């Protein structure tokens, strides 16, 4: 998701295309020739290009020739389905009405309007219209047609209505307030009610506001406010048996920072010891020593002395025991209590993981921990370089810099036995995955006992791997139009755009369609547990910038790291089918760590 949905540069003019075409032809023609010094290829091409540069002039050459970075950015933007500022020009299906129906329809005037709406992204492939997928705009446009707000002649082509979106949210991302601007037929006083009657309950139009003819909700938007909901157990330190926890302790000792690290973890210092004593030890006591070690390896994957072969032997042994129990039960004419695949090993792992999960959900954040979260969030304020918080951005790229107005953490609330905290960020614009990576970085710093100054170091030139937090907790609160309200609307006599006019409706909708869905999804699938557990267990150095050694201790993110991370996630999700048990840790595929993210297709941010 791209979070800011930056507009795609316009296509090359004929002059530029012609120049580039000629340049390509010249390069091709001379590819195999020898230059006067007997050197082939590149030198001859360079001489020819310098000659062409003299012919067209320096300024014209600079204007018409794209650099490597520009070409790369254009290709990236092209892959991301086009810009948000341009009217929707995706392929559209055939007209759903006959020619006679179109001719018989009365022609009515259209007006440029701003449509304020909210939606739950669950079950949708994002905001942007796509005829091959179920999208928010697809349902919204169909409702406009059904309500008579768009004529039958224009019913298959959003481009004819000049549709522009304010923020493009991705798959599964919610919005309490978003906007599109376009031309609609709004003569009917009940047009909003009619449109909503053709929409599912998880999409609502709050209001339709007449605007000036030149209004574009994308260009006129000054800033955007996002909310991210996260369970407070995400701020617990890594379990002491995990790879990351061991490295944190080891490197703190090397850097003589043991005392400092301990002070930053003081309020959670005894959490895991208490869980081990009260919840886990009684379950382990029921197992023999080989089984106990194999179970702990399956859960924490931290002890190199316990190999995968040990786990396999434990599974095989319990499978034989299970078969023996079943055979005895059959001989006695009794029904076996064992289920297929439910070996003693599997049951033990599930029972212990369930104990850990129960302890996490019972955690209540300490006031000092919450204050530390707020201290780290404050470091995002102002203009920073976020090249590490998105994809395909270089540190020297000016567009990597973004301005944050505020980033706050509310007081925690308890929902269904789990404590949650709401994070709200107000920024001028955002890039793809930026918010989820900002939340992830802050959370990793707090839970690792890392110095908060590490956040400031992440804005410098060194490349580090920041995983994106689960998309399930993200929602667009609302866009802000202060400049338009202060000048454009006031000078033209149009009403101001104000989401506060619909505050009661939005509040009720957020609770019913967004908050309840987020809480239910986390309760059933444990996205945050799966995400942070996987980060803690990755056995390479890409996240060691969270230790006392700082960024120099972390390996630069590479394709090898990405492949290893993905392979580890698959192993974790497939280990004896444990993550498939919804009563324990949920679907192992529900949340994953991506050191370098794929395109905006998996629930990341809006524009």
């Amino acid at each position: 998701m791209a979070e800011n949905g930056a507009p795609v540069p316009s296509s090359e003019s004929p002059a530029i295309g012609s120049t580039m075409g000629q340049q390509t032809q010249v390069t091709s023609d001379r590819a195999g020739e020898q230059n006067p010094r007997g050197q082939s290829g590149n030198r001859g091409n360079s001489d020819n290009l310098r000659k062409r540069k003299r012919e067209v002039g320096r300024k014209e050459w600079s204007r018409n020739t794209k650099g490597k970075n520009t070409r790369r950015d254009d290709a990236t933007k092209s892959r991301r389905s086009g810009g948000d500022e341009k009217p929707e020009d995706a392929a559209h299906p055939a007209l759903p009405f006959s020619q006679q129906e179109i001719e018989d329809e009365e022609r009515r005037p259209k007006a440029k309007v701003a449509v304020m709406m909210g939606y739950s992204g669950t079950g949708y492939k994002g905001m942007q219209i796509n005829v091959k997928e179920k999208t928010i705009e697809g349902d919204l446009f169909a409702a406009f047609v059904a309500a008579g707000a768009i004529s039958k002649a224009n019913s298959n082509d959003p481009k004819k209505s000049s549709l522009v979106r304010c923020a493009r949210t991705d798959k599964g991302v919610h919005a309490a307030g978003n906007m599109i601007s376009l031309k609609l037929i709004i003569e009917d006083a009940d047009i909003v009610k009619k449109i909503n009657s053709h929409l599912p309950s998880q999409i609502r139009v709050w209001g339709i506001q007449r605007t000036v003819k030149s209004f574009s909700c994308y260009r006129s938007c000054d800033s955007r406010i996002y909310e991210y909901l996260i369970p407070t157990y995400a701020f617990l330190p890594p379990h002491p048996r995990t790879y990351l926890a061991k490295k944190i302790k080891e490197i703190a000792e090397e850097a003589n920072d043991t005392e400092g690290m301990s002070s930053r973890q003081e309020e959670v210092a005894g959490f895991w010891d208490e869980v081990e004593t009260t919840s886990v030890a009684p379950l382990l006591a029921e197992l023999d020593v080989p089984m106990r070690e194999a179970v702990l390896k399956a859960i924490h994957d931290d002890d190199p002395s316990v190999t995968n072969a040990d786990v396999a032997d434990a599974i095989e042994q319990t499978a034989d025991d299970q078969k023996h129990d079943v055979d005895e039960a059959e001989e006695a004419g009794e029904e076996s209590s064992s289920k297929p695949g439910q070996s003693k090993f599997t049951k033990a792992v599930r029972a212990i993981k369930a104990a850990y999960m129960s302890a996490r959900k019972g955690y209540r954040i300490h006031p000092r921990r919450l204050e530390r979260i707020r201290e780290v969030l404050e470091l995002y304020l102002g203009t920073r370089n976020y090249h590490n918080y998105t994809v395909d951005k270089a540190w020297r790229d000016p567009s990597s810099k973004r301005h944050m107005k505020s980033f706050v953490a509310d007081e925690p609330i308890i929902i269904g036995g789990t404590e949650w905290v709401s994070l709200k960020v107000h920024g001028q614009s955002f890039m793809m995955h930026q918010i989820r990576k900002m939340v992830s970085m802050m959370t990793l710093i707090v839970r690792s006992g890392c110095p908060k100054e590490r956040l400031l170091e992440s804005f410098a030139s060194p490349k580090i791997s920041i995983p994106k937090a689960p998309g399930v907790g993200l929602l667009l609160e609302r866009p802000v139009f202060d400049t338009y309200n202060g000048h454009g609307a006031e000078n033209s006599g149009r009403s101001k755009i104000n989401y506060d006019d619909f505050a009661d409706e939005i509040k009720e909708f957020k609770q019913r369609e967004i908050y309840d869905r987020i809480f239910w999804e986390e309760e059933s699938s444990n996205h945050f547990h799966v995400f942070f557990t996987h980060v803690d267990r990755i056995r390479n150095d890409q996240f060691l910038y969270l230790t006392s050694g700082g960024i120099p201790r972390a390996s630069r993110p590479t394709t090898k790291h990405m492949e290893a991370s993905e392979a580890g996630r698959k192993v974790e999700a497939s280990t004896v089918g444990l993550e498939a048990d919804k009563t324990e840790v949920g679907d192992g595929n529900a949340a994953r760590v991506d050191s370098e993210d794929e395109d905006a297709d998996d629930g990341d941010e809006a524009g």
Side-chain angles (χ1 to χ4, degrees):
M1 148 176 146
E3 288 178 327
N4 69 330
V8 173
S10 59
S11 59
E12 296 175 333
S13 64
I16 296 176
S18 175
T19 301
M20 295 299 291
Q22 295 171 11
Q23 175 184 328
T24 303
Q25 181 64 42
V26 171
T27 302
S28 175
D29 291 343
R30 296 184 60 88
E33 296 182 12
Q34 298 286 330
N35 63 31
R37 298 183 180 181
Q39 297 170 337
S40 63
N42 293 339
R43 181 59 182 268
N45 292 341
S46 299
D47 291 343
N48 185 70
L49 294 178
R50 282 196 293 269
K51 180 180 179 181
R52 285 195 48 76
K53 184 174 181 180
R54 289 193 296 271
E55 290 175 352
V56 300
R58 185 179 300 276
K59 290 185 178 179
E60 183 180 351
W61 173 270
S62 299
R63 285 195 303 268
N64 295 349
T65 304
K66 294 184 177 182
K68 180 177 67 175
N69 291 340
T70 303
R71 294 196 302 271
R72 181 194 63 194
D73 290 346
D74 287 350
T76 300
K77 291 173 182 177
S78 177
R79 290 198 307 270
R80 294 176 187 163
S81 309
D84 292 345
E85 167 59 17
K86 297 178 64 178
E88 184 59 54
D89 57 1
H92 45 273
L95 285 166
F97 303 101
S98 67
Q99 188 62 34
Q100 187 61 45
E101 288 177 303
I102 294 173
E103 293 176 355
D104 291 344
E105 183 182 32
E106 178 186 358
R107 294 182 63 85
R108 293 179 292 167
K110 298 181 291 186
K112 192 63 172 291
V113 299
V115 179
M116 293 171 277
M117 78 284 194
Y119 51 84
S120 166
T122 303
Y124 285 87
K125 297 292 185 178
M127 168 73 172
Q128 185 173 346
I129 198 166
N130 183 341
V131 297
K132 297 181 180 180
E133 302 284 0
K134 181 179 176 64
T135 65
I136 300 295
E137 280 181 5
D139 280 8
L140 198 59
F141 197 80
F144 290 156
V145 175
I150 290 178
S151 67
K152 294 177 181 178
N154 296 338
S155 60
N156 71 328
D157 190 359
K159 183 177 179 180
K160 294 179 181 179
S161 299
S162 302
L163 187 153
V164 173
R165 69 196 60 82
C166 178
R168 180 181 63 216
T169 56
D170 294 325
K171 175 185 173 183
V173 178
H174 318 291
N178 201 350
M179 179 181 293
I180 60 173
S181 56
L182 73 168
K183 297 175 183 178
L184 289 183
I185 301 168
I186 55 172
E187 296 175 327
D188 194 332
D190 294 328
I191 190 63
V192 172
K193 185 177 180 180
K194 288 184 177 180
I195 292 172
N196 281 330
S197 69
H198 295 285
L199 289 169
S201 62
Q202 67 187 93
I203 304 177
R204 290 292 92 179
V205 171
W206 308 128
I208 297 178
Q209 181 64 58
R210 186 82 178 268
T211 67
V212 298
K213 292 183 179 179
S214 61
F215 179 77
S216 161
C217 64
Y218 178 74
R219 288 197 174 276
S220 299
C221 180
D222 297 311
S223 57
R224 298 168 178 86
I225 301 173
Y226 284 86
E227 181 176 12
Y228 193 93
L229 296 172
I230 185 170
T232 58
Y233 72 70
F235 298 99
L236 285 168
H239 190 281
R241 290 182 62 103
T242 60
Y243 179 82
L244 181 59
K246 288 187 172 184
K247 282 295 183 180
I248 289 172
K249 182 179 179 181
E250 173 188 322
I251 297 175
E253 292 173 352
E254 293 177 4
N256 294 320
D257 188 42
T258 301
E259 184 176 343
M261 188 268 291
S262 298
S263 67
R264 294 187 291 269
Q265 299 281 42
E266 183 178 3
E267 63 273 12
V268 291
F271 178 83
W272 289 117
D273 289 340
E274 183 178 352
V275 171
E276 294 291 339
T277 301
T278 60
S279 302
V280 178
L283 298 174
L284 291 176
E286 300 175 3
L287 308 175
D288 56 38
V289 174
M291 177 72 70
R292 188 180 308 161
E293 293 301 322
V295 166
L296 290 176
K297 175 176 173 58
I299 294 174
H300 301 297
D301 191 26
D302 73 320
D303 188 353
S305 67
V306 181
T307 65
N308 289 328
D310 295 326
V311 176
D313 290 342
I315 295 175
E316 183 178 356
Q317 177 186 348
T318 53
D320 291 341
D321 293 343
Q322 178 190 23
K323 185 178 184 300
H324 178 71
D325 293 341
V326 171
D327 291 341
E328 285 188 345
E330 288 178 349
E331 290 177 3
E334 300 173 355
E335 183 177 351
S336 172
S337 59
S338 299
K339 297 179 181 179
Q342 294 286 317
S343 68
K344 184 178 180 181
F345 174 83
T346 303
K347 290 179 180 178
V349 171
R350 284 180 173 157
I352 293 173
K353 281 196 170 186
Y356 281 128
M357 193 70 245
S358 178
R360 286 184 175 93
K361 292 186 175 182
Y363 171 72
R364 301 295 177 256
I365 195 166
H366 191 279
R368 180 65 189 93
R369 200 79 165 167
L370 184 60
E371 182 59 30
R372 180 164 164 76
I373 291 171
R374 290 167 175 160
E375 291 173 358
V376 177
L377 291 178
E378 284 184 1
L379 298 180
Y380 282 120
L381 304 189
T383 301
R384 308 289 191 188
N385 190 312
Y386 288 94
H387 74 105
N388 275 320
Y389 291 77
T390 186
V391 294
D392 297 331
K393 287 289 184 183
W395 180 72
R396 294 183 181 275
D397 188 338
S399 66
S400 296
K401 294 183 179 180
R402 301 295 157 123
H403 184 79
M404 299 300 116
K405 296 173 176 286
S406 66
F407 207 157
V408 298
D410 291 342
E411 289 298 316
I413 58 173
I414 298 176
I415 305 292
T418 301
E419 188 178 59
W420 293 76
V421 64
S422 170
L423 310 174
K424 290 187 178 179
V425 56
H426 184 186
Q428 286 185 343
S429 61
F430 300 89
M431 295 178 287
M432 177 182 289
H433 304 322
Q434 181 182 336
I435 295 174
R436 288 167 63 186
K437 285 174 175 275
M438 291 169 72
V439 170
S440 176
M441 186 64 171
M442 177 275 297
T443 307
L444 290 172
I445 287 175
V446 173
R447 71 193 299 269
S448 300
C450 177
K452 64 182 181 180
E453 290 75 21
R454 192 75 75 249
L455 189 77
L456 297 177
E457 296 171 13
S458 71
F459 302 131
S461 58
K463 190 69 176 175
I464 61 174
S465 176
I466 303 176
K468 62 180 188 290
V472 64
L474 181 67
L475 66 131
L476 172 61
E477 180 74 15
R478 62 185 173 91
V480 179
F481 296 89
D482 290 339
T483 302
Y484 172 78
N485 287 340
H487 298 285
E490 195 172 282
N491 296 340
S492 62
R494 300 296 183 191
S495 298
K496 296 181 179 181
I497 295 173
N498 189 0
Y499 284 88
D500 292 338
D501 294 340
F502 314 101
D504 292 339
E505 299 171 66
I506 293 176
K507 182 179 180 180
E508 187 274 333
F509 177 83
K510 280 175 65 176
Q511 185 62 51
R512 183 187 74 249
E513 296 292 341
I514 299 179
Y515 288 164
D516 287 351
R517 288 177 187 268
I518 291 175
F519 301 145
W520 178 84
E521 284 189 49
E522 173 59 19
E523 181 66 25
S524 61
S525 297
N526 297 303
H527 297 280
F528 291 94
H529 164 68
V530 173
F531 172 77
F532 287 109
T533 298
H534 185 55
V535 170
D536 297 344
R537 291 171 56 170
I538 292 179
R539 300 180 69 86
N540 61 49
D541 297 343
Q542 59 181 316
F543 298 135
L544 294 191
Y545 58 81
L546 297 169
T547 69
S548 301
I551 289 179
R553 289 301 298 260
S555 56
R556 185 168 180 170
T558 63
T559 302
K560 181 178 180 180
H561 281 150
M562 288 186 282
E563 292 174 350
S565 176
E566 178 66 8
R569 182 193 65 79
K570 290 180 178 178
V571 169
E572 177 185 0
S574 62
T575 302
V576 294
L578 300 180
E579 317 315 336
D581 188 347
K582 296 290 185 180
T583 62
E584 182 210 333
V585 298
D587 183 359
N589 293 317
R592 66 180 182 179
V593 176
D594 290 312
S595 300
E596 291 295 328
D597 304 313
E598 62 276 1
D599 210 322
D601 63 355
D602 60 6
D604 185 325
E605 294 68 318

